[in-house]
mmCIF file of all heavy atoms in Angstrom:
data_model
loop_
_atom_site.group_PDB
_atom_site.id
_atom_site.type_symbol
_atom_site.label_atom_id
_atom_site.label_comp_id
_atom_site.label_asym_id
_atom_site.label_seq_id
_atom_site.Cartn_x
_atom_site.Cartn_y
_atom_site.Cartn_z
ATOM 1 N N LEU A 4 -25.314 -48.189 20.053
ATOM 2 C CA LEU A 4 -24.867 -48.943 21.222
ATOM 3 C C LEU A 4 -25.808 -48.713 22.401
ATOM 4 O O LEU A 4 -26.126 -49.646 23.152
ATOM 5 C CB LEU A 4 -23.444 -48.534 21.582
ATOM 6 C CG LEU A 4 -22.710 -49.418 22.594
ATOM 7 C CD1 LEU A 4 -22.749 -50.878 22.168
ATOM 8 C CD2 LEU A 4 -21.265 -48.951 22.755
ATOM 9 N N ALA A 5 -26.260 -47.477 22.569
ATOM 10 C CA ALA A 5 -27.262 -47.206 23.605
ATOM 11 C C ALA A 5 -28.540 -47.979 23.311
ATOM 12 O O ALA A 5 -29.179 -48.529 24.230
ATOM 13 C CB ALA A 5 -27.548 -45.707 23.671
ATOM 14 N N PHE A 6 -28.920 -48.045 22.039
ATOM 15 C CA PHE A 6 -30.093 -48.818 21.628
ATOM 16 C C PHE A 6 -29.915 -50.295 21.981
ATOM 17 O O PHE A 6 -30.851 -50.949 22.469
ATOM 18 C CB PHE A 6 -30.299 -48.640 20.119
ATOM 19 C CG PHE A 6 -31.415 -49.450 19.544
ATOM 20 C CD1 PHE A 6 -32.737 -49.092 19.754
ATOM 21 C CD2 PHE A 6 -31.157 -50.580 18.780
ATOM 22 C CE1 PHE A 6 -33.772 -49.846 19.212
ATOM 23 C CE2 PHE A 6 -32.166 -51.338 18.244
ATOM 24 C CZ PHE A 6 -33.489 -50.966 18.457
ATOM 25 N N LEU A 7 -28.714 -50.824 21.793
ATOM 26 C CA LEU A 7 -28.441 -52.219 22.123
ATOM 27 C C LEU A 7 -28.625 -52.476 23.615
ATOM 28 O O LEU A 7 -29.228 -53.484 24.019
ATOM 29 C CB LEU A 7 -27.017 -52.586 21.701
ATOM 30 C CG LEU A 7 -26.526 -53.991 22.098
ATOM 31 C CD1 LEU A 7 -27.355 -55.064 21.405
ATOM 32 C CD2 LEU A 7 -25.043 -54.154 21.763
ATOM 33 N N VAL A 8 -28.130 -51.561 24.445
ATOM 34 C CA VAL A 8 -28.279 -51.724 25.898
ATOM 35 C C VAL A 8 -29.754 -51.775 26.282
ATOM 36 O O VAL A 8 -30.182 -52.632 27.062
ATOM 37 C CB VAL A 8 -27.573 -50.567 26.648
ATOM 38 C CG1 VAL A 8 -27.847 -50.656 28.141
ATOM 39 C CG2 VAL A 8 -26.071 -50.594 26.384
ATOM 40 N N VAL A 9 -30.551 -50.869 25.705
ATOM 41 C CA VAL A 9 -31.967 -50.811 26.067
ATOM 42 C C VAL A 9 -32.721 -52.014 25.514
ATOM 43 O O VAL A 9 -33.634 -52.541 26.167
ATOM 44 C CB VAL A 9 -32.599 -49.493 25.576
ATOM 45 C CG1 VAL A 9 -34.045 -49.390 26.040
ATOM 46 C CG2 VAL A 9 -31.822 -48.294 26.090
ATOM 47 N N VAL A 10 -32.352 -52.492 24.330
ATOM 48 C CA VAL A 10 -33.030 -53.665 23.766
ATOM 49 C C VAL A 10 -32.781 -54.904 24.618
ATOM 50 O O VAL A 10 -33.706 -55.688 24.892
ATOM 51 C CB VAL A 10 -32.567 -53.905 22.304
ATOM 52 C CG1 VAL A 10 -32.988 -55.303 21.829
ATOM 53 C CG2 VAL A 10 -33.172 -52.858 21.387
ATOM 54 N N ILE A 11 -31.546 -55.098 25.057
ATOM 55 C CA ILE A 11 -31.262 -56.253 25.926
ATOM 56 C C ILE A 11 -32.013 -56.117 27.242
ATOM 57 O O ILE A 11 -32.538 -57.098 27.792
ATOM 58 C CB ILE A 11 -29.748 -56.385 26.162
ATOM 59 C CG1 ILE A 11 -29.039 -56.681 24.836
ATOM 60 C CG2 ILE A 11 -29.447 -57.483 27.176
ATOM 61 C CD1 ILE A 11 -27.533 -56.784 24.960
ATOM 62 N N THR A 12 -32.099 -54.903 27.748
ATOM 63 C CA THR A 12 -32.906 -54.659 28.945
ATOM 64 C C THR A 12 -34.367 -55.009 28.696
ATOM 65 O O THR A 12 -35.032 -55.633 29.539
ATOM 66 C CB THR A 12 -32.803 -53.185 29.366
ATOM 67 O OG1 THR A 12 -31.443 -52.864 29.643
ATOM 68 C CG2 THR A 12 -33.649 -52.906 30.589
ATOM 69 N N ALA A 13 -34.879 -54.613 27.532
ATOM 70 C CA ALA A 13 -36.273 -54.890 27.195
ATOM 71 C C ALA A 13 -36.526 -56.389 27.071
ATOM 72 O O ALA A 13 -37.578 -56.891 27.489
ATOM 73 C CB ALA A 13 -36.643 -54.181 25.893
ATOM 74 N N LEU A 14 -35.572 -57.133 26.525
ATOM 75 C CA LEU A 14 -35.738 -58.586 26.435
ATOM 76 C C LEU A 14 -35.790 -59.208 27.832
ATOM 77 O O LEU A 14 -36.519 -60.174 28.077
ATOM 78 C CB LEU A 14 -34.599 -59.189 25.619
ATOM 79 C CG LEU A 14 -34.596 -58.851 24.126
ATOM 80 C CD1 LEU A 14 -33.379 -59.465 23.441
ATOM 81 C CD2 LEU A 14 -35.880 -59.342 23.458
ATOM 82 N N GLY A 15 -35.020 -58.639 28.750
ATOM 83 C CA GLY A 15 -35.113 -59.091 30.134
ATOM 84 C C GLY A 15 -36.477 -58.794 30.726
ATOM 85 O O GLY A 15 -37.027 -59.597 31.493
ATOM 86 N N ALA A 16 -37.043 -57.621 30.383
ATOM 87 C CA ALA A 16 -38.389 -57.286 30.852
ATOM 88 C C ALA A 16 -39.433 -58.211 30.248
ATOM 89 O O ALA A 16 -40.425 -58.562 30.905
ATOM 90 C CB ALA A 16 -38.699 -55.833 30.508
ATOM 91 N N VAL A 17 -39.232 -58.616 28.993
ATOM 92 C CA VAL A 17 -40.140 -59.586 28.364
ATOM 93 C C VAL A 17 -40.118 -60.907 29.123
ATOM 94 O O VAL A 17 -41.165 -61.487 29.449
ATOM 95 C CB VAL A 17 -39.753 -59.802 26.881
ATOM 96 C CG1 VAL A 17 -40.507 -60.998 26.302
ATOM 97 C CG2 VAL A 17 -40.044 -58.551 26.063
ATOM 98 N N SER A 18 -38.921 -61.402 29.414
ATOM 99 C CA SER A 18 -38.794 -62.656 30.157
ATOM 100 C C SER A 18 -39.422 -62.536 31.540
ATOM 101 O O SER A 18 -40.110 -63.455 32.011
ATOM 102 C CB SER A 18 -37.321 -63.045 30.287
ATOM 103 O OG SER A 18 -36.717 -63.202 29.015
ATOM 104 N N LEU A 19 -39.186 -61.402 32.200
ATOM 105 C CA LEU A 19 -39.767 -61.185 33.522
ATOM 106 C C LEU A 19 -41.285 -61.135 33.448
ATOM 107 O O LEU A 19 -41.978 -61.715 34.301
ATOM 108 C CB LEU A 19 -39.226 -59.878 34.110
ATOM 109 C CG LEU A 19 -39.790 -59.464 35.469
ATOM 110 C CD1 LEU A 19 -39.379 -60.466 36.543
ATOM 111 C CD2 LEU A 19 -39.333 -58.052 35.843
ATOM 112 N N GLY A 20 -41.819 -60.451 32.431
ATOM 113 C CA GLY A 20 -43.266 -60.364 32.280
ATOM 114 C C GLY A 20 -43.907 -61.721 32.052
ATOM 115 O O GLY A 20 -44.964 -62.028 32.620
ATOM 116 N N ILE A 21 -43.283 -62.552 31.238
ATOM 117 C CA ILE A 21 -43.809 -63.898 31.001
ATOM 118 C C ILE A 21 -43.767 -64.722 32.278
ATOM 119 O O ILE A 21 -44.725 -65.417 32.636
ATOM 120 C CB ILE A 21 -43.019 -64.586 29.876
ATOM 121 C CG1 ILE A 21 -43.294 -63.898 28.534
ATOM 122 C CG2 ILE A 21 -43.364 -66.070 29.790
ATOM 123 C CD1 ILE A 21 -42.483 -64.447 27.382
ATOM 124 N N PHE A 22 -42.640 -64.633 32.997
ATOM 125 C CA PHE A 22 -42.491 -65.399 34.224
ATOM 126 C C PHE A 22 -43.543 -65.005 35.267
ATOM 127 O O PHE A 22 -44.240 -65.861 35.820
ATOM 128 C CB PHE A 22 -41.090 -65.203 34.785
ATOM 129 C CG PHE A 22 -40.911 -65.705 36.183
ATOM 130 C CD1 PHE A 22 -41.062 -67.050 36.486
ATOM 131 C CD2 PHE A 22 -40.601 -64.820 37.205
ATOM 132 C CE1 PHE A 22 -40.907 -67.507 37.780
ATOM 133 C CE2 PHE A 22 -40.438 -65.267 38.500
ATOM 134 C CZ PHE A 22 -40.599 -66.615 38.797
ATOM 135 N N LEU A 23 -43.698 -63.703 35.528
ATOM 136 C CA LEU A 23 -44.628 -63.274 36.570
ATOM 137 C C LEU A 23 -46.069 -63.472 36.167
ATOM 138 O O LEU A 23 -46.932 -63.732 37.025
ATOM 139 C CB LEU A 23 -44.377 -61.800 36.911
ATOM 140 C CG LEU A 23 -43.038 -61.495 37.583
ATOM 141 C CD1 LEU A 23 -42.911 -60.004 37.878
ATOM 142 C CD2 LEU A 23 -42.875 -62.296 38.880
ATOM 143 N N SER A 24 -46.377 -63.365 34.879
ATOM 144 C CA SER A 24 -47.765 -63.535 34.449
ATOM 145 C C SER A 24 -48.253 -64.969 34.605
ATOM 146 O O SER A 24 -49.463 -65.213 34.612
ATOM 147 C CB SER A 24 -47.929 -63.095 32.985
ATOM 148 O OG SER A 24 -47.229 -63.964 32.114
ATOM 149 N N THR A 25 -47.319 -65.932 34.734
ATOM 150 C CA THR A 25 -47.753 -67.313 34.961
ATOM 151 C C THR A 25 -48.361 -67.487 36.350
ATOM 152 O O THR A 25 -49.035 -68.490 36.603
ATOM 153 C CB THR A 25 -46.567 -68.285 34.808
ATOM 154 O OG1 THR A 25 -45.542 -67.953 35.756
ATOM 155 C CG2 THR A 25 -45.990 -68.214 33.406
ATOM 156 N N PHE A 26 -48.147 -66.529 37.246
ATOM 157 C CA PHE A 26 -48.714 -66.595 38.593
ATOM 158 C C PHE A 26 -49.964 -65.735 38.731
ATOM 159 O O PHE A 26 -50.529 -65.653 39.822
ATOM 160 C CB PHE A 26 -47.677 -66.134 39.627
ATOM 161 C CG PHE A 26 -46.432 -66.961 39.637
ATOM 162 C CD1 PHE A 26 -45.300 -66.542 38.955
ATOM 163 C CD2 PHE A 26 -46.391 -68.179 40.299
ATOM 164 C CE1 PHE A 26 -44.143 -67.300 38.963
ATOM 165 C CE2 PHE A 26 -45.240 -68.950 40.303
ATOM 166 C CZ PHE A 26 -44.110 -68.512 39.635
ATOM 167 N N ALA A 27 -50.376 -65.076 37.651
ATOM 168 C CA ALA A 27 -51.526 -64.171 37.712
ATOM 169 C C ALA A 27 -52.737 -64.796 37.028
ATOM 170 O O ALA A 27 -52.596 -65.564 36.075
ATOM 171 C CB ALA A 27 -51.181 -62.843 37.049
ATOM 172 N N ARG A 28 -53.907 -64.455 37.528
ATOM 173 C CA ARG A 28 -55.156 -64.906 36.915
ATOM 174 C C ARG A 28 -55.921 -63.762 36.263
ATOM 175 O O ARG A 28 -56.830 -64.006 35.479
ATOM 176 C CB ARG A 28 -56.046 -65.582 37.968
ATOM 177 C CG ARG A 28 -55.462 -66.884 38.518
ATOM 178 C CD ARG A 28 -56.360 -67.499 39.566
ATOM 179 N NE ARG A 28 -55.804 -68.749 40.068
ATOM 180 C CZ ARG A 28 -56.018 -69.944 39.547
ATOM 181 N NH1 ARG A 28 -56.806 -70.046 38.473
ATOM 182 N NH2 ARG A 28 -55.485 -71.029 40.049
ATOM 183 N N THR A 29 -55.599 -62.536 36.627
ATOM 184 C CA THR A 29 -56.253 -61.366 36.044
ATOM 185 C C THR A 29 -55.192 -60.327 35.699
ATOM 186 O O THR A 29 -54.058 -60.373 36.191
ATOM 187 C CB THR A 29 -57.272 -60.736 37.017
ATOM 188 O OG1 THR A 29 -56.580 -60.219 38.156
ATOM 189 C CG2 THR A 29 -58.309 -61.753 37.475
ATOM 190 N N GLU A 30 -55.591 -59.371 34.855
ATOM 191 C CA GLU A 30 -54.663 -58.298 34.494
ATOM 192 C C GLU A 30 -54.303 -57.451 35.704
ATOM 193 O O GLU A 30 -53.184 -56.936 35.802
ATOM 194 C CB GLU A 30 -55.290 -57.427 33.397
ATOM 195 C CG GLU A 30 -55.471 -58.170 32.079
ATOM 196 C CD GLU A 30 -56.094 -57.302 31.003
ATOM 197 O OE1 GLU A 30 -56.298 -56.099 31.273
ATOM 198 O OE2 GLU A 30 -56.393 -57.820 29.915
ATOM 199 N N LEU A 31 -55.236 -57.307 36.641
ATOM 200 C CA LEU A 31 -54.936 -56.563 37.854
ATOM 201 C C LEU A 31 -53.806 -57.217 38.627
ATOM 202 O O LEU A 31 -52.947 -56.532 39.186
ATOM 203 C CB LEU A 31 -56.188 -56.472 38.738
ATOM 204 C CG LEU A 31 -56.005 -55.769 40.086
ATOM 205 C CD1 LEU A 31 -55.549 -54.321 39.889
ATOM 206 C CD2 LEU A 31 -57.294 -55.822 40.901
ATOM 207 N N GLN A 32 -53.771 -58.532 38.657
ATOM 208 C CA GLN A 32 -52.713 -59.223 39.376
ATOM 209 C C GLN A 32 -51.354 -59.029 38.708
ATOM 210 O O GLN A 32 -50.320 -59.018 39.383
ATOM 211 C CB GLN A 32 -53.048 -60.706 39.513
ATOM 212 C CG GLN A 32 -54.214 -60.973 40.450
ATOM 213 C CD GLN A 32 -54.509 -62.456 40.603
ATOM 214 O OE1 GLN A 32 -53.905 -63.294 39.926
ATOM 215 N NE2 GLN A 32 -55.445 -62.778 41.480
ATOM 216 N N VAL A 33 -51.329 -58.884 37.380
ATOM 217 C CA VAL A 33 -50.070 -58.563 36.699
ATOM 218 C C VAL A 33 -49.558 -57.207 37.158
ATOM 219 O O VAL A 33 -48.367 -57.017 37.436
ATOM 220 C CB VAL A 33 -50.270 -58.578 35.163
ATOM 221 C CG1 VAL A 33 -49.019 -58.067 34.462
ATOM 222 C CG2 VAL A 33 -50.601 -59.978 34.682
ATOM 223 N N ILE A 34 -50.477 -56.242 37.279
ATOM 224 C CA ILE A 34 -50.101 -54.901 37.718
ATOM 225 C C ILE A 34 -49.665 -54.908 39.177
ATOM 226 O O ILE A 34 -48.832 -54.105 39.597
ATOM 227 C CB ILE A 34 -51.282 -53.933 37.492
ATOM 228 C CG1 ILE A 34 -51.599 -53.849 35.996
ATOM 229 C CG2 ILE A 34 -50.979 -52.552 38.045
ATOM 230 C CD1 ILE A 34 -52.828 -53.036 35.666
ATOM 231 N N GLN A 35 -50.220 -55.846 39.956
ATOM 232 C CA GLN A 35 -49.886 -55.893 41.384
ATOM 233 C C GLN A 35 -48.420 -56.217 41.648
ATOM 234 O O GLN A 35 -47.914 -55.931 42.740
ATOM 235 C CB GLN A 35 -50.771 -56.940 42.086
ATOM 236 C CG GLN A 35 -52.217 -56.496 42.221
ATOM 237 C CD GLN A 35 -53.123 -57.635 42.616
ATOM 238 O OE1 GLN A 35 -52.691 -58.779 42.734
ATOM 239 N NE2 GLN A 35 -54.392 -57.337 42.823
ATOM 240 N N PHE A 36 -47.751 -56.789 40.665
ATOM 241 C CA PHE A 36 -46.324 -57.082 40.854
ATOM 242 C C PHE A 36 -45.461 -55.826 40.753
ATOM 243 O O PHE A 36 -44.296 -55.839 41.166
ATOM 244 C CB PHE A 36 -45.846 -58.108 39.825
ATOM 245 C CG PHE A 36 -46.325 -59.506 40.090
ATOM 246 C CD1 PHE A 36 -47.244 -60.108 39.248
ATOM 247 C CD2 PHE A 36 -45.858 -60.216 41.180
ATOM 248 C CE1 PHE A 36 -47.683 -61.398 39.486
ATOM 249 C CE2 PHE A 36 -46.293 -61.506 41.433
ATOM 250 C CZ PHE A 36 -47.214 -62.108 40.585
ATOM 251 N N ILE A 37 -46.008 -54.745 40.190
ATOM 252 C CA ILE A 37 -45.212 -53.535 39.970
ATOM 253 C C ILE A 37 -44.641 -52.972 41.276
ATOM 254 O O ILE A 37 -43.442 -52.672 41.359
ATOM 255 C CB ILE A 37 -46.038 -52.471 39.216
ATOM 256 C CG1 ILE A 37 -46.289 -52.943 37.776
ATOM 257 C CG2 ILE A 37 -45.326 -51.117 39.212
ATOM 258 C CD1 ILE A 37 -47.169 -52.015 36.974
ATOM 259 N N PRO A 38 -45.465 -52.802 42.343
ATOM 260 C CA PRO A 38 -44.878 -52.266 43.584
ATOM 261 C C PRO A 38 -43.816 -53.173 44.193
ATOM 262 O O PRO A 38 -42.960 -52.692 44.947
ATOM 263 C CB PRO A 38 -46.093 -52.139 44.517
ATOM 264 C CG PRO A 38 -47.273 -52.095 43.627
ATOM 265 C CD PRO A 38 -46.924 -52.969 42.463
ATOM 266 N N LEU A 39 -43.875 -54.463 43.880
ATOM 267 C CA LEU A 39 -42.937 -55.394 44.491
ATOM 268 C C LEU A 39 -41.681 -55.613 43.656
ATOM 269 O O LEU A 39 -40.625 -55.952 44.202
ATOM 270 C CB LEU A 39 -43.631 -56.751 44.721
ATOM 271 C CG LEU A 39 -44.876 -56.719 45.620
ATOM 272 C CD1 LEU A 39 -45.480 -58.098 45.714
ATOM 273 C CD2 LEU A 39 -44.532 -56.189 46.993
ATOM 274 N N VAL A 40 -41.775 -55.429 42.344
ATOM 275 C CA VAL A 40 -40.661 -55.754 41.451
ATOM 276 C C VAL A 40 -40.040 -54.504 40.816
ATOM 277 O O VAL A 40 -38.811 -54.379 40.761
ATOM 278 C CB VAL A 40 -41.125 -56.730 40.345
ATOM 279 C CG1 VAL A 40 -39.980 -57.017 39.379
ATOM 280 C CG2 VAL A 40 -41.646 -58.018 40.954
ATOM 281 N N LEU A 41 -40.863 -53.580 40.343
ATOM 282 C CA LEU A 41 -40.345 -52.437 39.601
ATOM 283 C C LEU A 41 -40.071 -51.219 40.482
ATOM 284 O O LEU A 41 -39.085 -50.511 40.271
ATOM 285 C CB LEU A 41 -41.317 -52.055 38.478
ATOM 286 C CG LEU A 41 -41.561 -53.141 37.420
ATOM 287 C CD1 LEU A 41 -42.450 -52.592 36.308
ATOM 288 C CD2 LEU A 41 -40.257 -53.644 36.840
#
C-alpha cells in the first residue's frame, strides 16, 4: 500500500515533468524549474 502511494505520486511527477519540459529548450532549463516547483 505504501508502494501504491509512492507510485501514484511518481506518475504525477511524470506528468509534471512532461508538462514543464514543453517550456524548456535545454536540460538546464528543466533543472531551473526545481527551485520554483520542488
Side-chain angles (χ1 to χ4, degrees):
L4 192 52
F6 176 75
L7 175 64
V8 174
V9 184
V10 166
I11 296 178
T12 300
L14 291 178
V17 169
S18 301
L19 177 65
I21 292 176
F22 168 63
L23 293 180
S24 67
T25 60
F26 300 98
R28 294 179 179 271
T29 65
E30 294 180 5
L31 177 60
Q32 291 182 354
V33 173
I34 297 174
Q35 288 167 357
F36 287 111
I37 291 176
L39 301 178
V40 177
L41 299 185

